[in-house]
Amino acid sequence: MQSATQQPVTPARGTRSPAPAVPETQSPAPWHRVLTLLADISLFIGTRAIWTQAASHRLVVAAAISACYASILVCGVLALVVRRTRSLARLDLCVLVTAVTLTLCAWAMNHGGSDEAILTTQAARELVAGHPVYGQPWPWLFGHGVALTPTVTGGYDFTYGYPPLTPLLTAPLLWLGHGALPATVVSTAALLAGTVALWRALPTPWRSAATMACLGFGFLPSYGRLGYPAIVALALLVPVVVRWPRTGRGGRLGAGGLARAACLGAACAAQQLPWFVAPFLLAGIYAVRRGELGGRAAALVVGRFAGIAGIVWLLLNTYFAVSEPDTWIRGIALPLTQGAVIHGQGVVGISLYFTGGSDRLDWYSHASMLLAAGLLALFVLFVRRLGPAATVLPWCAFFVATRSQDGYYLMMTPLWLAAAITAPASEFASAWQPRPPVVCGRPARIAAVALLLTPAMASVAWAATGSPALDMRLRSVRRATPTAVSRLEIEVTNTDAAALAPHFTLTTGQGMNEYWTVVRGPATLPAHATARYELRPPAGGFRLPRPGVRIRLRAFTAVPQTLSSADVRLSRSG
């Protein structure tokens, strides 16, 4: 019988409770074994292709991959037979080391980069030379397999359109070589650093989930090898998101809160995607702290956090803001203003593939902004329920945007994992939620959800149900060979009430091909007018695809932004 009542011990403010010691003889949980095994299995994906590539001329890399195969097999056996939790935790580390090795082997074989890596490296070169970075077209970097970004104005974007942190990190590595190599080193190193940071930050049994989400499956390492600046932003967001609801607990940021704020500012200076998640995190921190401290103290915490992030962002941008203010501000806003043609796996596919186009494409952009605002409002209203989804909700807006590539979602998926494990619903149980009288009661809350999401959904419907602004009909075909077209003559009728300046291309699948040159025909087609256009393909010829492939003639206009498409029959003939 105890002589005194035991009192619970509360950890000091701003500190984390130490993890309880795991007895050496404790058996691992079955789900821990399964998670380790799944992370191990995920390393098989894509590995054979890299080994096949290396076996012909890079025998050292091939041997390293073969050793990784042996490691995967051994880890698979041990994951099922080890008897102690500590042994399984050490096995998680072995799986991580194997994943890092495979990532480095894949980079050694494929580090040519993408258009983003080439632009980043060129921006770093211009920075070192003291030349302007933003607003400078570099068309000689493109072609020969390097992807182009076509715009609705009939041209292509050849300029750098991201914040400057990644070129700043790339500049010291230019000595490594020509091409995109320095940028791919930065992004791949950032991915590995972010993976290790997430692995260490997660509770021990969950660590293999970080290995699987970041390096397994192969998709994030491929983005690293392609040199995407978003990978640098992802790595910087990892420490921001891990246990983010605890930021400012007790009214003090502490060293951890200051580091989180600095990382958020740096992430926003690396790429634009963090701009979309930052409002959700700030709103969530305010709600949690207000539930703990009250409104004024919560506002001070969030103000200090946002201020530090803003200072870091400004410091990283200062040189460019002073030396080239106009082109800098236009450059970092470029993805929002460049007018790139619609593309992606979202609802824009309705206008791209399932209908003849739309004369209301701008409404996809309006829908994206309205959905982002609506989701943020819902997050604030229902933060106790939606708080754990703060790192997922922002990307939903891209599904209805004009550019809705899946990369916008999947490059940030490690943040989903970090929030799921370290920011559970219990962290938001006492968070403050505004409760105006109009949203009291279940029917009123349902009505509020519908009210906030309806404008975005209505904009999507308005864009998707638009009709093609141009009616296009194929009149004649000139062939260079039986399987290659050298000229097309088409008849175009402007059914819109405004004059349009069309730009034409032929596509045979997803995405856009290069624009065709207008040899004959008016640059601007008046409203309700009809004209004939003679078109010449890029490089002088268009090779016809195999029979059965859908060929679509497309016309884009910039003001208003429209897409008109028509299926054309161009069969191979003798």
Short mmCIF file of all heavy atoms in Angstrom, two decimals, residues 444-479:
data_model
loop_
_atom_site.label_atom_id
_atom_site.label_comp_id
_atom_site.label_asym_id
_atom_site.label_seq_id
_atom_site.Cartn_x
_atom_site.Cartn_y
_atom_site.Cartn_z
N ALA A 444 -26.83 23.31 -40.74
CA ALA A 444 -26.15 24.57 -41.07
C ALA A 444 -24.70 24.33 -41.46
O ALA A 444 -24.18 25.00 -42.35
CB ALA A 444 -26.23 25.52 -39.88
N ARG A 445 -24.03 23.36 -40.80
CA ARG A 445 -22.64 23.07 -41.16
C ARG A 445 -22.56 22.47 -42.57
O ARG A 445 -21.65 22.80 -43.34
CB ARG A 445 -22.02 22.12 -40.14
CG ARG A 445 -21.77 22.78 -38.79
CD ARG A 445 -20.84 21.95 -37.93
NE ARG A 445 -21.44 20.69 -37.53
CZ ARG A 445 -22.14 20.52 -36.41
NH1 ARG A 445 -22.34 21.54 -35.59
NH2 ARG A 445 -22.64 19.33 -36.09
N ILE A 446 -23.50 21.61 -42.89
CA ILE A 446 -23.53 21.04 -44.24
C ILE A 446 -23.77 22.14 -45.26
O ILE A 446 -23.13 22.18 -46.32
CB ILE A 446 -24.61 19.95 -44.33
CG1 ILE A 446 -24.24 18.77 -43.44
CG2 ILE A 446 -24.79 19.49 -45.78
CD1 ILE A 446 -25.31 17.71 -43.35
N ALA A 447 -24.65 23.06 -44.93
CA ALA A 447 -24.92 24.18 -45.84
C ALA A 447 -23.68 25.06 -46.01
O ALA A 447 -23.41 25.57 -47.11
CB ALA A 447 -26.10 25.00 -45.31
N ALA A 448 -22.92 25.25 -44.91
CA ALA A 448 -21.71 26.06 -45.00
C ALA A 448 -20.68 25.41 -45.91
O ALA A 448 -20.02 26.09 -46.72
CB ALA A 448 -21.12 26.28 -43.61
N VAL A 449 -20.53 24.09 -45.81
CA VAL A 449 -19.61 23.37 -46.69
C VAL A 449 -20.02 23.56 -48.14
O VAL A 449 -19.20 23.87 -49.01
CB VAL A 449 -19.56 21.88 -46.32
CG1 VAL A 449 -18.76 21.11 -47.35
CG2 VAL A 449 -18.96 21.69 -44.93
N ALA A 450 -21.31 23.36 -48.41
CA ALA A 450 -21.80 23.51 -49.78
C ALA A 450 -21.59 24.93 -50.30
O ALA A 450 -21.19 25.15 -51.44
CB ALA A 450 -23.27 23.13 -49.84
N LEU A 451 -21.85 25.91 -49.42
CA LEU A 451 -21.71 27.31 -49.83
C LEU A 451 -20.26 27.65 -50.18
O LEU A 451 -20.00 28.38 -51.15
CB LEU A 451 -22.21 28.21 -48.70
CG LEU A 451 -22.15 29.73 -48.97
CD1 LEU A 451 -23.08 30.10 -50.12
CD2 LEU A 451 -22.52 30.51 -47.72
N LEU A 452 -19.31 27.12 -49.42
CA LEU A 452 -17.91 27.45 -49.66
C LEU A 452 -17.33 26.72 -50.87
O LEU A 452 -16.38 27.21 -51.49
CB LEU A 452 -17.09 27.12 -48.42
CG LEU A 452 -17.33 28.04 -47.22
CD1 LEU A 452 -16.66 27.49 -45.97
CD2 LEU A 452 -16.82 29.45 -47.52
N LEU A 453 -17.86 25.56 -51.20
CA LEU A 453 -17.32 24.78 -52.32
C LEU A 453 -18.08 25.00 -53.62
O LEU A 453 -17.55 24.72 -54.70
CB LEU A 453 -17.32 23.29 -51.97
CG LEU A 453 -16.45 22.87 -50.80
CD1 LEU A 453 -16.47 21.35 -50.64
CD2 LEU A 453 -15.01 23.35 -50.97
N THR A 454 -19.31 25.50 -53.54
CA THR A 454 -20.12 25.66 -54.75
C THR A 454 -19.49 26.60 -55.77
O THR A 454 -19.52 26.31 -56.98
CB THR A 454 -21.54 26.13 -54.37
OG1 THR A 454 -22.19 25.08 -53.65
CG2 THR A 454 -22.35 26.45 -55.62
N PRO A 455 -18.93 27.76 -55.39
CA PRO A 455 -18.34 28.63 -56.42
C PRO A 455 -17.26 27.92 -57.25
O PRO A 455 -17.22 28.10 -58.47
CB PRO A 455 -17.74 29.78 -55.60
CG PRO A 455 -18.57 29.83 -54.37
CD PRO A 455 -18.90 28.40 -54.06
N ALA A 456 -16.41 27.12 -56.59
CA ALA A 456 -15.37 26.41 -57.34
C ALA A 456 -15.99 25.37 -58.27
O ALA A 456 -15.60 25.24 -59.43
CB ALA A 456 -14.39 25.75 -56.38
N MET A 457 -16.96 24.61 -57.76
CA MET A 457 -17.58 23.58 -58.59
C MET A 457 -18.35 24.19 -59.75
O MET A 457 -18.36 23.66 -60.86
CB MET A 457 -18.51 22.72 -57.73
CG MET A 457 -17.81 21.97 -56.59
SD MET A 457 -16.46 20.89 -57.18
CE MET A 457 -15.00 21.88 -56.78
N ALA A 458 -18.99 25.34 -59.50
CA ALA A 458 -19.70 26.01 -60.58
C ALA A 458 -18.73 26.52 -61.65
O ALA A 458 -19.02 26.45 -62.86
CB ALA A 458 -20.52 27.17 -60.01
N SER A 459 -17.58 27.00 -61.22
CA SER A 459 -16.57 27.46 -62.19
C SER A 459 -16.05 26.30 -63.02
O SER A 459 -15.84 26.45 -64.23
CB SER A 459 -15.42 28.14 -61.44
OG SER A 459 -15.85 29.29 -60.75
N VAL A 460 -15.84 25.14 -62.38
CA VAL A 460 -15.41 23.96 -63.13
C VAL A 460 -16.45 23.58 -64.17
O VAL A 460 -16.13 23.31 -65.34
CB VAL A 460 -15.14 22.78 -62.17
CG1 VAL A 460 -14.97 21.48 -62.95
CG2 VAL A 460 -13.90 23.05 -61.34
N ALA A 461 -17.71 23.54 -63.75
CA ALA A 461 -18.78 23.18 -64.68
C ALA A 461 -18.88 24.17 -65.83
O ALA A 461 -19.07 23.79 -67.00
CB ALA A 461 -20.11 23.10 -63.93
N TRP A 462 -18.71 25.44 -65.53
CA TRP A 462 -18.78 26.49 -66.57
C TRP A 462 -17.63 26.33 -67.57
O TRP A 462 -17.83 26.47 -68.77
CB TRP A 462 -18.74 27.85 -65.90
CG TRP A 462 -18.90 29.02 -66.83
CD1 TRP A 462 -17.96 29.96 -67.13
CD2 TRP A 462 -20.07 29.38 -67.58
NE1 TRP A 462 -18.45 30.88 -68.00
CE2 TRP A 462 -19.76 30.56 -68.30
CE3 TRP A 462 -21.34 28.84 -67.70
CZ2 TRP A 462 -20.68 31.19 -69.14
CZ3 TRP A 462 -22.26 29.47 -68.53
CH2 TRP A 462 -21.92 30.62 -69.23
N ALA A 463 -16.44 26.02 -67.07
CA ALA A 463 -15.30 25.83 -67.97
C ALA A 463 -15.46 24.56 -68.80
O ALA A 463 -15.20 24.55 -70.01
CB ALA A 463 -14.00 25.77 -67.17
N ALA A 464 -15.87 23.47 -68.16
CA ALA A 464 -15.94 22.18 -68.85
C ALA A 464 -17.04 22.13 -69.89
O ALA A 464 -16.94 21.37 -70.87
CB ALA A 464 -16.13 21.06 -67.83
N THR A 465 -18.09 22.91 -69.70
CA THR A 465 -19.21 22.89 -70.65
C THR A 465 -19.09 23.94 -71.73
O THR A 465 -20.02 24.11 -72.52
CB THR A 465 -20.54 23.08 -69.90
OG1 THR A 465 -20.49 24.31 -69.14
CG2 THR A 465 -20.81 21.92 -68.96
N GLY A 466 -17.96 24.63 -71.78
CA GLY A 466 -17.76 25.59 -72.85
C GLY A 466 -17.68 24.89 -74.21
O GLY A 466 -17.35 23.71 -74.31
N SER A 467 -17.94 25.62 -75.25
CA SER A 467 -17.90 25.07 -76.60
C SER A 467 -16.65 25.56 -77.33
O SER A 467 -16.09 26.61 -76.98
CB SER A 467 -19.15 25.49 -77.38
OG SER A 467 -19.26 26.91 -77.40
N PRO A 468 -16.17 24.83 -78.32
CA PRO A 468 -14.99 25.27 -79.07
C PRO A 468 -15.24 26.62 -79.73
O PRO A 468 -16.31 26.85 -80.31
CB PRO A 468 -14.78 24.17 -80.10
CG PRO A 468 -15.53 22.99 -79.59
CD PRO A 468 -16.67 23.52 -78.80
N ALA A 469 -14.27 27.51 -79.64
CA ALA A 469 -14.43 28.83 -80.26
C ALA A 469 -14.20 28.78 -81.76
O ALA A 469 -14.66 29.67 -82.49
CB ALA A 469 -13.45 29.82 -79.62
N LEU A 470 -13.49 27.76 -82.24
CA LEU A 470 -13.16 27.65 -83.67
C LEU A 470 -13.67 26.32 -84.20
O LEU A 470 -13.48 25.27 -83.58
CB LEU A 470 -11.65 27.74 -83.88
CG LEU A 470 -10.96 29.03 -83.39
CD1 LEU A 470 -9.45 28.91 -83.53
CD2 LEU A 470 -11.48 30.24 -84.16
N ASP A 471 -14.30 26.39 -85.34
CA ASP A 471 -14.72 25.17 -86.05
C ASP A 471 -13.69 24.90 -87.13
O ASP A 471 -13.49 25.73 -88.04
CB ASP A 471 -16.11 25.38 -86.66
CG ASP A 471 -16.58 24.15 -87.42
OD1 ASP A 471 -16.36 23.03 -86.93
OD2 ASP A 471 -17.14 24.31 -88.53
N MET A 472 -13.00 23.76 -87.05
CA MET A 472 -11.88 23.48 -87.96
C MET A 472 -12.17 22.24 -88.79
O MET A 472 -12.63 21.22 -88.26
CB MET A 472 -10.59 23.27 -87.14
CG MET A 472 -10.21 24.46 -86.30
SD MET A 472 -8.68 24.20 -85.34
CE MET A 472 -9.24 22.94 -84.18
N ARG A 473 -11.89 22.35 -90.08
CA ARG A 473 -12.10 21.23 -91.01
C ARG A 473 -10.88 21.08 -91.91
O ARG A 473 -10.34 22.05 -92.42
CB ARG A 473 -13.35 21.47 -91.86
CG ARG A 473 -14.62 21.58 -91.03
CD ARG A 473 -15.84 21.73 -91.89
NE ARG A 473 -17.06 21.85 -91.10
CZ ARG A 473 -18.28 21.94 -91.60
NH1 ARG A 473 -18.46 21.93 -92.91
NH2 ARG A 473 -19.33 22.05 -90.79
N LEU A 474 -10.45 19.83 -92.04
CA LEU A 474 -9.30 19.52 -92.89
C LEU A 474 -9.71 19.56 -94.35
O LEU A 474 -10.71 18.95 -94.75
CB LEU A 474 -8.76 18.14 -92.53
CG LEU A 474 -7.52 17.65 -93.29
CD1 LEU A 474 -6.33 18.53 -93.00
CD2 LEU A 474 -7.23 16.20 -92.92
N ARG A 475 -8.96 20.30 -95.17
CA ARG A 475 -9.29 20.44 -96.59
C ARG A 475 -8.32 19.69 -97.49
O ARG A 475 -8.74 19.09 -98.49
CB ARG A 475 -9.33 21.93 -96.98
CG ARG A 475 -10.51 22.69 -96.39
CD ARG A 475 -11.82 22.02 -96.76
NE ARG A 475 -12.98 22.74 -96.24
CZ ARG A 475 -14.21 22.27 -96.27
NH1 ARG A 475 -14.43 21.05 -96.76
NH2 ARG A 475 -15.20 22.97 -95.78
N SER A 476 -7.05 19.73 -97.20
CA SER A 476 -6.09 19.01 -98.04
C SER A 476 -4.84 18.68 -97.24
O SER A 476 -4.55 19.31 -96.23
CB SER A 476 -5.71 19.84 -99.28
OG SER A 476 -5.01 21.01 -98.90
N VAL A 477 -4.13 17.65 -97.72
CA VAL A 477 -2.92 17.18 -97.07
C VAL A 477 -1.83 17.04 -98.12
O VAL A 477 -2.06 16.48 -99.20
CB VAL A 477 -3.15 15.81 -96.38
CG1 VAL A 477 -1.87 15.34 -95.70
CG2 VAL A 477 -4.30 15.90 -95.40
N ARG A 478 -0.66 17.54 -97.81
CA ARG A 478 0.50 17.34 -98.67
C ARG A 478 1.50 16.49 -97.92
O ARG A 478 1.82 16.75 -96.76
CB ARG A 478 1.13 18.69 -99.05
CG ARG A 478 2.20 18.57 -100.14
CD ARG A 478 2.86 19.92 -100.40
NE ARG A 478 1.87 20.97 -100.68
CZ ARG A 478 2.16 22.26 -100.77
NH1 ARG A 478 3.42 22.66 -100.57
NH2 ARG A 478 1.21 23.13 -101.02
N ARG A 479 2.03 15.46 -98.59
CA ARG A 479 2.92 14.50 -97.94
C ARG A 479 4.33 14.61 -98.48
O ARG A 479 4.53 14.75 -99.69
CB ARG A 479 2.40 13.07 -98.13
CG ARG A 479 1.02 12.83 -97.53
CD ARG A 479 0.54 11.43 -97.89
NE ARG A 479 -0.81 11.20 -97.40
CZ ARG A 479 -1.11 10.62 -96.23
NH1 ARG A 479 -0.12 10.22 -95.45
NH2 ARG A 479 -2.36 10.46 -95.87
#
